[in-house]
Amino acid sequence: MQAEIVQTAMGVVGSLGFALLFGIRGTKPLGCIALGSGIGWVVYLVSVAGGHGKAFGMLASSLVIAICSEARLIKTPVILLLVPMLIPEIPGGDLYYTMYSLIEGDSAKFASLLQLVLAEAGAIALGIILASYAAGLINNIYRHVRPCAHSPHK
């Protein structure tokens, strides 16, 4: 349990570091980034601990993170919140060992790890796409339904 708390805290610190590096200022955006990246990493840890694979954990985590960034709780472009929040989700270790296996000439291990890295990257992308699509759909429905609710026509 202690290792998971440290992982989550370091993920939040890393996200905030990248946010500052990207020039994001203000307590509201930085607070949203910290909260979103922490929640995202907890979702990943719970998914993996629940017996689901890394790819499913990445999908669930990126979906939650993208929903947090699409929520429009503050007036900030989605991309400014999304990118720093996703920093802890990047499969850096798996990518490193994939390249290491390639350089060492271990083609079986390389193929296995490459498949894992591609599945993780695809899961992250799919989570972002699903949340973005859902947010757009909800916004369109809201825009079309809201004028009808206040329409003077009977």
Side-chain angles (χ1 to χ4, degrees):
M1 179 68 170
Q2 187 176 8
E4 289 82 3
I5 292 171
V6 171
Q7 287 179 11
T8 305
M10 291 299 102
V12 169
V13 169
S15 291
L16 289 174
F18 271 91
L20 293 173
L21 183 67
F22 294 152
I24 300 171
R25 301 285 184 257
T27 55
K28 285 183 181 179
L30 292 175
C32 284
I33 289 167
L35 185 64
S37 65
I39 290 170
W41 190 251
V42 168
V43 168
Y44 171 77
L45 290 174
V46 168
S47 295
V48 172
H52 304 290
K54 285 184 174 183
F56 180 82
M58 292 287 180
L59 173 65
S61 176
S62 66
L63 186 60
V64 168
I65 288 171
I67 289 169
C68 289
S69 66
E70 292 275 357
R72 308 284 178 158
L73 299 175
I74 59 174
K75 301 273 186 194
T76 305
V78 172
I79 194 75
L80 288 180
L81 298 175
L82 182 63
V83 171
M85 282 187 209
L86 284 172
I87 293 299
E89 314 309 318
I90 297 171
D94 292 335
L95 184 58
Y96 170 82
Y97 289 114
T98 301
M99 293 297 106
Y100 185 77
S101 298
L102 176 67
I103 291 171
E104 290 292 312
D106 188 351
S107 59
K109 188 173 181 182
F110 169 74
S112 171
L113 288 172
L114 180 63
Q115 184 179 9
L116 176 64
V117 168
L118 291 176
E120 290 171 345
I124 291 170
L126 182 61
I128 295 167
I129 290 167
L130 290 174
S132 178
Y133 180 76
L137 183 64
I138 290 168
N139 284 336
N140 284 337
I141 291 171
Y142 181 73
R143 239 181 299 151
H144 289 19
V145 170
R146 186 172 178 189
C148 294
H150 303 291
S151 176
H153 303 293
K154 293 185 178 183

